[in-house]
Amino acid sequence: MKLISEKHKQTLAYPALLMGIVALIVCSLLLLMNNLTAQPIADRQREDLTKLLDQVLPSNAYDNQPLDEKYQITIEGQEFAFYRAKLEDKVSAIVLFTQSAGYSGDISLLVAISADGALSGVRVLSHTETPGLGDKIELAKSDWILDFNGLSLSNPDKTGWAVKKDGGQFDAFTGATITPRAVVKCIYATLGQFQNNKDFFLQTDKAATLP
């Protein structure tokens, strides 16, 4: 005896039921694949981020696992994610994600700032700047980004925080001044945000919140 008669197959309910079963199977397969791949992807992302942190933070500057110390801060309506590096249970540095508008799109940066306000290191995470011109902000293409190491809000002074074309101390790229200008401006602004919210950034209480 057939479970579904030909008469029932011809009703409007049957196609809908069949589509529902197919959709359920597809959703189940997608969920299974997501569960199988989610952890390996997360592990790879953590591995890549660890390598970046190793580039901007000296190994003797912290004794915790900064990736386990992730926080959020809202400054002037914009949210920033950052990590706290600690040494002997005191915050020794923070690593902040930020971005700036470049020539052809957003430039995403990873900025490490020591507790004393000096830059520990800066790296470009992603950008869409012109190959051969603006892409010199990448460490793989030039060492320009290393010029920020050790600098702070007062070193150089405000006038120095600009490309040489604008009277500052940072080199620009031939045919691509907008790109380095955007990066310099973004890093200087980030240092200012750190200074203005220093008490929060350097708190060790995981439950700390902005006033």
Side-chain angles (χ1 to χ4, degrees):
M1 179 178 179
K2 293 183 178 180
L3 294 178
I4 303 177
S5 67
E6 291 299 325
K7 181 178 180 180
H8 285 124
K9 288 182 179 180
Q10 295 174 4
T11 65
L12 293 176
Y14 178 73
L17 177 62
L18 187 60
M19 290 179 64
I21 294 173
V22 172
L24 180 61
I25 293 174
V26 171
C27 288
S28 298
L29 290 174
L30 289 174
L31 182 61
L32 177 62
M33 290 301 296
N34 181 68
N35 290 336
L36 291 175
T37 59
Q39 190 57 49
I41 291 175
D43 290 343
R44 179 56 186 273
Q45 291 175 337
R46 186 180 177 90
E47 180 182 337
D48 291 342
L49 190 51
T50 297
K51 291 178 180 178
L52 280 172
L53 291 181
D54 288 343
Q55 293 181 38
V56 297
L57 288 176
S59 59
N60 61 356
Y62 61 98
D63 55 17
N64 69 322
Q65 176 46 266
L67 295 184
D68 295 332
E69 301 276 354
K70 186 176 182 180
Y71 302 88
Q72 295 278 344
I73 184 173
T74 301
I75 302 175
E76 297 179 353
Q78 185 177 359
E79 285 193 359
F80 296 90
F82 71 96
Y83 297 95
R84 287 183 177 131
K86 295 179 181 177
L87 186 63
E88 296 181 354
D89 216 26
K90 293 183 179 180
V91 179
S92 57
I94 63 125
V95 182
L96 183 73
F97 293 94
T98 187
Q99 66 179 27
S100 179
Y103 176 74
S104 57
D106 288 337
I107 301 172
S108 297
L109 300 171
L110 188 71
V111 181
I113 306 174
S114 299
D116 62 3
L119 287 166
S120 175
V122 180
R123 290 294 183 274
V124 175
L125 297 176
S126 64
H127 71 87
T128 55
E129 301 303 276
T130 306
L133 295 173
D135 62 353
K136 292 178 182 178
I137 56 176
E138 297 177 35
L139 183 59
K141 300 298 175 64
S142 80
D143 60 1
W144 179 84
I145 201 72
L146 300 179
D147 290 342
F148 295 98
N149 292 357
L151 302 185
S152 65
L153 278 179
S154 58
N155 175 33
D157 60 19
K158 186 176 182 180
T159 58
W161 277 97
V163 295
K164 291 180 178 178
K165 185 176 181 179
D166 299 332
Q169 74 169 44
F170 298 95
D171 291 330
F173 309 142
T174 303
T177 303
I178 293 176
T179 302
R181 181 185 287 144
V183 173
V184 171
K185 182 179 178 180
C186 181
I187 295 172
Y188 182 71
T190 301
L191 286 171
Q193 290 164 346
F194 171 79
Q195 183 62 37
N196 293 337
N197 299 279
K198 191 172 182 178
D199 289 343
F200 175 77
F201 279 119
L202 299 183
Q203 288 183 55
T204 56
D205 182 2
K206 289 189 176 182
T209 56
L210 282 174

